Amino acid sequence: LRKMRNQEQTWSAIGEAVATLARRISEGCGDSAFFTGQPAIAPLCDRLVQSIDDQLDLEAWIVVEASARASLRR
């Protein structure tokens, strides 16, 4: 049970990190010479989460995705 909680905390932290990365990418694009404007953060976050789905088992991916979306709402 403890191991499962630790894994869930790890997956949640990864989701939060993905949301933070999406925000930073979006903010950085505003200063880019190659892109005018900023990409929407939520779709960017979804794409980043989807990019790692084949690296995780389904249960882990679900927690990562949920955590990333929840982090965007904060």
Side-chain angles (χ1 to χ4, degrees), residues 3-51:
K3 182 179 179 182
M4 183 185 268
R5 285 187 185 149
N6 287 340
Q7 287 177 331
E8 189 172 323
Q9 288 174 342
T10 298
W11 300 332
S12 292
I14 291 169
E16 291 174 16
V18 168
T20 298
L21 178 60
R23 283 189 190 97
R24 288 189 177 195
I25 290 171
S26 178
E27 291 167 1
C29 285
D31 298 330
S32 173
F34 302 105
F35 187 83
T36 56
Q38 291 179 305
I41 295 171
L44 180 56
C45 185
D46 287 343
R47 298 266 323 257
L48 291 170
V49 169
Q50 290 171 1
S51 73

Side-chain angles (χ1 to χ4, degrees), residues 11 52-66:
W11 300 332
I52 63 170
D53 71 344
D54 60 342
Q55 303 298 313
L56 304 169
D57 60 28
L58 179 60
E59 292 81 10
W61 184 79
I62 289 169
V63 174
V64 169
E65 180 182 37

